[in-house]
Amino acid sequence: MPSPRRKTLPGTAIVTVGMVATLASAAMLIPPPTTAPAPAPDVIPRMTCDELTANSWTGFVVEEASEVAASSTDPAHCRVRGTIDAEIHFELLLPQAADWNGRFLMGGGGGYVGSVQNQALQFAGPESVLSRGFATVGTDTGHRGSGTDASWALNRPDREVNFGHRAVHVTAETAKTIIRLYYGRDIDYSYFLGCSRGGGQGMMSSQRYPDDFDGIVAGAPAYNWTALGALFLQTQQVLFPDPADLSTPVITDEAARTLETAILDACDENDGVKDGIMTDPLTCDIDPASIAGLTDDQRRAAEVIYEGAYVGGRLVYPGFPFGGETAVGGWRQWITGGGRGAAPNLHYAFGTQMHKYIIFDDPEFDYSTFDFNDHGVWEEQTRRARKHLDATETDLTGFKTAGGRLILWNGLSDAAIPATGTIRYYEGVAAGDEDVNDYLRMFMLPGVLHCAGGPGPDRVDWIDVIQEWVEDGTAPQRLVATRVDQGEVEMQRPLCAWPARAVYDGSGDPKRAESFECEAPPEEG
C-alpha cells in the first residue's frame, strides 16, 4: 500500500497560544525511553465537539459545533459550521472517533454555488459518506445566492477569486486543522468529489493546489468558464435572436424530436444494439443540415449546438455530441427551453449572468448584440475572468509529483457541459505527457445527462474507485455503471478508460455488462 501523504497544520488556521502550551506540557510528561524509541506516532490531545466552539481560531470562526444523533442513514457525528475570512461559510461533518476511517472527503458545489454545498453527500454511492467513515466538508465559496445568480460578483474581484479557486483551498485547509485536533492525529488520505462546477473545482485544485488532495473525481467539469460562456451565448443568439421574445425558441420541441429521430435512425445500431443509446455518438456520421423537416434557422441553430463556439474563426469550446435532444433534463432544460421568465433555460441563465457580472460588470449587457468576430478582442475582454475562473492548465507536473490521482468523467448526452470539452482537456494533458495514465484516467458514460439521468447507466461508486487507485495502486481500467429504476437494477454497461470503448459481443444480453468488452480504437492512418 502506498504510504499516505502527511499533512501539516495549514497556515490559514492556527490553534491558540494556550493550546500550544497544553501540547507542550503533555509532551513534557512523557518519561524518557530506556531503550531505542519506536517512531513517534503523530498524536496530539483530542478536542471534544463542544471544545471546538470554546477556542479562538486565527483565520476562521467556528459558530456552531453540535452533536447529531444517529439516523437511519448516518451514524452519530459532530456538525461544525463556521466562516473563513468573513464570507466563506463551511459545514464540516465529523464521525465519532471510533467510526472515523482516517480519511477526509471534500464535496464540490454546483453552478454559482451561493449556499453551503457538499456534493460528496449526493454522489456517495451505496452508503452515505458518514457511514463509510469519512470526515467531510462543503462550502458556499464566499457568497450567498441561488445557483444561477452571479450578481454577487458585480465589482467584487475578491469574491470572484474566492469562487474561482481560493474558497475550496482555504476550506480544505481549515477542515484539516479541525479534523486533526478533533481526532488527535493526522489524516491518512484526502479526497475531493464533485460534478459540474464541483468537477471544475476538483480540476482547479489539481492545477493550483496539487498538495490539497490525494485523489480527485471530477465529473462533467465546468473547467473553462469563459469559453463555456461563449458557447452558451452563441446557442442563445441563434435560438432567441430577439431578446424581447424568449417564449418560443427557434428549435421547438417538435424540431428536437425530428433531430433525435433522424440521428438514432442513422446511428443507434452502430454499437450493435438498437436501444436508444449510442455507445459512442462521436462516431455517428450524419450531417444535421441533411435532416428533413427543419427550417433553415433550425438547421443553423443545430449546427451551433453540435459544432461548438467559434470566436474569430477559432474553436474555443467544442459542441455537444448527438444525444439527449428530447430527454427530460436534456436540451429543453439546458439549451432550447423557452418561457416568459427572466431566463428561459440554463444556458441563457449562466451565460448572461457570467457576462453581466463577472466579465463586464455591466447589468445591462445584451447577449443578442455581442460580437464574437475578433478573437483577440474576446481574449482581452475575458482576460480577468480567465485568470480567476478557468482551470485549463494541462501541465499537471505538480499534481503528478505529489502523487495525486485524478479521474475525469462525463455523460455523453450531457446538455450542460459538452463531453467533447472534457475529452479535449484530457488529450491536451496526454499530448504533453506520455505517462498521463499514471495519474489521470477519463471515462465517458453513454446516454447519461448532466451528472446523472438519461437513458444510460449513470451510477458508479466513484469513492471506491478513487480509493482503490490512491491507496492500493489499482488504476481504474474497466468500471461498471448501473441504471436503477424504482430501486431495481435495470441495466449495466462497462465504462472503459479513454480512449478505449465498450464493444458489444453480438449475442449477449445488452443490458448486462459482461456482454461488452473494452477495445482500443483503431489507429488512424
Side-chain angles (χ1 to χ4, degrees), residues 240 245-249 336-345:
F240 298 96
D245 182 7
L246 303 178
S247 61
T248 305
T336 61
R340 301 187 182 279
N345 58 67

Side-chain angles (χ1 to χ4, degrees), residues 378-463:
W378 177 78
E379 280 203 321
E380 181 57 30
Q381 290 168 331
T382 59
R383 179 181 56 81
R384 181 171 62 88
R386 282 189 285 114
K387 180 180 179 182
H388 301 323
L389 302 186
D390 292 356
T392 54
E393 175 58 64
T394 55
D395 183 354
L396 298 181
T397 300
F399 189 68
K400 174 183 178 181
T401 301
R405 300 290 184 266
L406 172 62
I407 293 174
L408 303 178
W409 67 269
N410 219 122
L412 281 166
S413 295
D414 191 331
I417 309 294
T420 49
T422 306
I423 293 170
R424 190 185 200 190
Y425 177 80
Y426 172 87
E427 291 180 343
V429 179
D433 187 355
E434 62 182 10
D435 297 323
V436 60
N437 287 329
D438 290 348
Y439 56 92
L440 171 60
R441 296 291 171 101
M442 183 176 69
F443 298 87
M444 293 290 116
L445 281 61
V448 174
L449 301 178
H450 187 53
C451 295
D458 58 354
R459 296 193 181 187
V460 178
D461 188 348
W462 295 112
I463 295 176

Side-chain angles (χ1 to χ4, degrees), residues 97-114:
D99 298 323
W100 185 45
N101 63 10
R103 291 153 179 82
F104 166 56
L105 173 62
M106 183 169 187
Y112 291 117
V113 198

Side-chain angles (χ1 to χ4, degrees), residues 270-300:
N270 285 358
D271 55 12
V273 181
K274 187 175 184 179
D275 57 359
I277 301 172
M278 292 177 285
T279 299
D280 187 4
L282 301 177
T283 63
C284 180
D285 186 17
I286 183 173
D287 182 2
S290 68
I291 297 175
L294 301 174
T295 67
D296 289 343
D297 286 343
Q298 288 170 341
R299 290 190 179 92
R300 169 59 186 147

Side-chain angles (χ1 to χ4, degrees), residues 17 44 107 109 263 285 344 352 468 471 509:
V17 173
I44 60 175
I263 290 165
D285 186 17
T352 56
E468 286 190 358
E471 300 179 27
D509 183 348

Side-chain angles (χ1 to χ4, degrees), residues 88-173:
I88 302 172
H89 299 89
F90 68 91
E91 180 181 83
L92 172 64
L93 306 179
L94 302 165
Q96 293 182 347
D99 298 323
W100 185 45
N101 63 10
R103 291 153 179 82
F104 166 56
L105 173 62
M106 183 169 187
Y112 291 117
V113 198
S115 60
V116 175
Q117 298 179 23
N118 182 344
Q119 292 177 329
L121 304 177
Q122 177 183 357
F123 293 99
E127 300 176 85
S128 74
V129 169
L130 290 173
S131 64
R132 286 173 174 234
F134 289 91
T136 185
V137 75
T139 178
D140 64 0
T141 67
H143 61 272
R144 299 295 179 93
S146 72
T148 57
D149 173 30
S151 61
W152 50 267
L154 183 63
N155 298 313
R156 289 296 301 268
D158 57 325
R159 287 181 174 174
E160 293 175 20
V161 171
N162 284 338
F163 170 73
H165 58 87
R166 182 174 176 272
V168 168
H169 171 62
V170 297
T171 298
E173 289 203 319

Side-chain angles (χ1 to χ4, degrees), residues 242-257:
D242 180 0
D245 182 7
L246 303 178
S247 61
T248 305
V250 167
I251 294 183
T252 60
D253 290 348
E254 181 181 358
R257 282 193 296 272

Side-chain angles (χ1 to χ4, degrees), residues 205-499:
S205 294
S206 72
Q207 296 168 32
R208 284 184 180 259
Y209 308 104
D211 291 315
D212 279 0
F213 303 104
D214 301 293
I216 296 171
V217 178
Y223 72 94
N224 190 345
W225 277 78
T226 51
L228 272 174
L231 176 61
F232 292 172
L233 281 200
Q234 290 185 22
T235 65
Q236 300 310 291
Q237 285 178 341
V238 294
L239 289 165
F240 298 96
D242 180 0
D245 182 7
L246 303 178
S247 61
T248 305
V250 167
I251 294 183
T252 60
D253 290 348
E254 181 181 358
R257 282 193 296 272
T258 298
L259 284 165
E260 183 175 75
T261 299
I263 290 165
L264 289 177
D265 285 346
C267 300
D268 187 7
E269 292 187 84
N270 285 358
D271 55 12
V273 181
K274 187 175 184 179
D275 57 359
I277 301 172
M278 292 177 285
T279 299
D280 187 4
L282 301 177
T283 63
C284 180
D285 186 17
I286 183 173
D287 182 2
S290 68
I291 297 175
L294 301 174
T295 67
D296 289 343
D297 286 343
Q298 288 170 341
R299 290 190 179 92
R300 169 59 186 147
E303 287 174 357
V304 172
I305 295 169
Y306 292 130
E307 293 179 5
Y310 286 81
V311 179
R314 301 186 194 180
L315 180 67
V316 297
Y317 210 98
F320 294 87
F322 298 126
E325 290 84 0
T326 67
V328 176
W331 274 31
R332 197 175 199 282
Q333 176 177 324
W334 282 95
I335 308 173
T336 61
R340 301 187 182 279
N345 58 67
L346 292 171
H347 275 205
Y348 184 100
F350 283 114
T352 56
Q353 289 282 307
M354 184 190 311
H355 285 81
K356 285 181 178 182
Y357 300 112
I358 297 178
I359 293 177
F360 290 117
D361 286 320
D362 177 13
E364 303 303 317
F365 170 82
D366 182 356
Y367 77 93
S368 67
T369 60
F370 189 64
D371 187 353
F372 287 101
N373 287 324
D374 192 316
H375 188 271
V377 170
W378 177 78
E379 280 203 321
E380 181 57 30
Q381 290 168 331
T382 59
R383 179 181 56 81
R384 181 171 62 88
R386 282 189 285 114
K387 180 180 179 182
H388 301 323
L389 302 186
D390 292 356
T392 54
E393 175 58 64
T394 55
D395 183 354
L396 298 181
T397 300
F399 189 68
K400 174 183 178 181
T401 301
R405 300 290 184 266
L406 172 62
I407 293 174
L408 303 178
W409 67 269
N410 219 122
L412 281 166
S413 295
D414 191 331
I417 309 294
T420 49
T422 306
I423 293 170
R424 190 185 200 190
Y425 177 80
Y426 172 87
E427 291 180 343
V429 179
D433 187 355
E434 62 182 10
D435 297 323
V436 60
N437 287 329
D438 290 348
Y439 56 92
L440 171 60
R441 296 291 171 101
M442 183 176 69
F443 298 87
M444 293 290 116
L445 281 61
V448 174
L449 301 178
H450 187 53
C451 295
D458 58 354
R459 296 193 181 187
V460 178
D461 188 348
W462 295 112
I463 295 176
D464 186 59
V465 173
I466 192 65
Q467 273 194 269
E468 286 190 358
W469 194 8
V470 169
E471 300 179 27
D472 301 331
T474 305
Q477 189 64 28
R478 184 185 188 275
L479 309 177
V480 174
T482 302
R483 175 177 170 80
V484 176
D485 185 24
Q486 298 181 349
E488 298 294 328
V489 174
E490 180 183 335
M491 68 176 297
Q492 291 184 315
R493 286 279 177 91
L495 305 179
C496 308
W498 189 267

